[in-house]
Amino acid sequence: MTNYPFVVSQAWLFEHLDDPQVVIVDCRFSLANPQLGQQQYQTSHIKGSYYLDLNQDLSSPVGQHGGRHPLPNLNDLTNKLATIGINFQKTLVVAYDDFRLAFASRLWWLLRYLGHEQVAVLNGGFTEWQQVGYPITSDIPQPQKATFVPQINPELLVDIEVVKSRKDLPQVVLVDSRESDRYLGEREPIDKIAGHIPGAVNYPWQEVTNSSGQLLSPAEQNLRWQKLQNAEEILVYCGSGVTACVNLLSLEIAGIHTGKLYAGSWSDWISY
């Protein structure tokens, strides 16, 4: 598949492995085994890539409210980004995982929230990279020195009070990104309460990619969101603000720029 905004192909990344203007970030993670992603990275990863951990780097500690993956401390995150060579609005960041972009999209969204638009996800992820036979290594790259001074985009984020006040307005759509059985309350493997926020419609995040982890085409993404194209705001949530980012990526690929993340998501909603 050819490249389009916020997405690069396997072949493109292979050709740019040694490009000093490109920083590759491994975002692999397992909710069931939080150490697994780091272990996988240390065993093998795309040459030159750095590792950012969902719990340690892309989230802050869990509190009474804020959900299971609260947004990270922004000072800590920006310092981390600088130490892996990301210069604000200059470096192209390519994020990958092996779970249909669930965790790479979290980094993609966070960078855009910080004002850094030079970010893309790797189509097909690490699984396809291995299948094609592109180079992997266990060598850990050295820390770098870069300058990352964020310019926050507050319009990309909403909290519970905004969701409460806006979700039932006629030009606002609230999107639940979880699997349909979790949305319907038929199954809840993680949170203490099953169900969904009243008024939400269901667009499962797995539908953004095919079973191999490759993104649907821009035309298919656009068709997926056709009913919501005229909404003034699309407020997107999931269980904890992670896989909702896959839907936000899908909206951007479809050319719809009205998506906002309810970062606390269902796990925050039910904490009150």
Side-chain angles (χ1 to χ4, degrees), residues 186-202:
E186 297 171 349
R187 179 181 70 94
E188 184 45 68
I190 304 173
D191 292 307
K192 294 179 180 178
I193 301 173
H196 61 265
I197 298 174
V201 294
N202 188 212

Side-chain angles (χ1 to χ4, degrees), residues 173-237:
V173 180
L174 181 62
V175 170
D176 186 315
S177 305
R178 297 170 302 163
E179 301 94 318
S180 58
D181 56 351
R182 289 185 70 193
Y183 165 78
L184 293 170
E186 297 171 349
R187 179 181 70 94
E188 184 45 68
I190 304 173
D191 292 307
K192 294 179 180 178
I193 301 173
H196 61 265
I197 298 174
V201 294
N202 188 212
Y203 283 75
W205 68 274
Q206 294 95 332
E207 296 176 356
V208 175
T209 54
N210 62 23
S211 59
S212 300
Q214 296 169 324
L215 284 152
L216 305 184
S217 70
E220 290 170 304
Q221 305 285 1
N222 189 272
L223 184 64
R224 182 170 179 257
W225 297 107
Q226 195 168 29
K227 292 180 180 178
L228 308 189
Q229 284 182 337
N230 295 323
E232 291 178 4
E233 278 186 316
I234 303 174
L235 311 180
V236 186
Y237 76 93

Side-chain angles (χ1 to χ4, degrees), residues 54-242:
L54 174 65
N55 282 352
Q56 304 301 320
D57 302 309
L58 306 183
S59 308
S60 58
V62 177
Q64 181 181 359
H65 303 298
R68 283 182 281 106
H69 291 103
L71 294 187
N73 177 287
L74 297 186
N75 285 333
D76 292 345
L77 178 58
T78 54
N79 289 337
K80 183 76 175 186
L81 297 173
T83 64
I84 63 174
I86 301 173
N87 284 297
F88 183 72
Q89 283 295 50
K90 294 181 180 178
T91 306
L92 174 62
V93 180
V94 177
Y96 72 87
D97 60 32
D98 61 354
F99 197 60
R100 299 176 74 165
L101 302 177
F103 310 113
S105 294
R106 169 78 165 206
L107 177 59
W108 168 85
W109 183 89
L110 280 167
L111 282 165
R112 295 186 66 242
Y113 177 62
L114 294 173
H116 187 89
E117 293 284 333
Q118 303 297 109
V119 57
V121 297
L122 177 63
N123 202 6
F126 188 70
T127 303
E128 185 175 331
W129 185 268
Q130 284 184 299
Q131 290 172 346
V132 174
Y134 285 142
I136 57 176
T137 183
S138 60
D139 295 339
I140 308 296
Q142 293 297 311
Q144 303 293 320
K145 288 185 179 180
T147 302
F148 196 100
V149 181
Q151 297 175 4
I152 304 297
N153 280 324
E155 69 276 6
L156 297 183
L157 178 68
V158 295
D159 62 15
I160 189 170
E161 297 305 325
V162 173
V163 174
K164 285 179 179 179
S165 66
R166 299 191 63 78
K167 70 183 183 68
D168 297 319
L169 297 178
Q171 290 301 311
V172 176
V173 180
L174 181 62
V175 170
D176 186 315
S177 305
R178 297 170 302 163
E179 301 94 318
S180 58
D181 56 351
R182 289 185 70 193
Y183 165 78
L184 293 170
E186 297 171 349
R187 179 181 70 94
E188 184 45 68
I190 304 173
D191 292 307
K192 294 179 180 178
I193 301 173
H196 61 265
I197 298 174
V201 294
N202 188 212
Y203 283 75
W205 68 274
Q206 294 95 332
E207 296 176 356
V208 175
T209 54
N210 62 23
S211 59
S212 300
Q214 296 169 324
L215 284 152
L216 305 184
S217 70
E220 290 170 304
Q221 305 285 1
N222 189 272
L223 184 64
R224 182 170 179 257
W225 297 107
Q226 195 168 29
K227 292 180 180 178
L228 308 189
Q229 284 182 337
N230 295 323
E232 291 178 4
E233 278 186 316
I234 303 174
L235 311 180
V236 186
Y237 76 93
C238 55
S240 66
V242 177

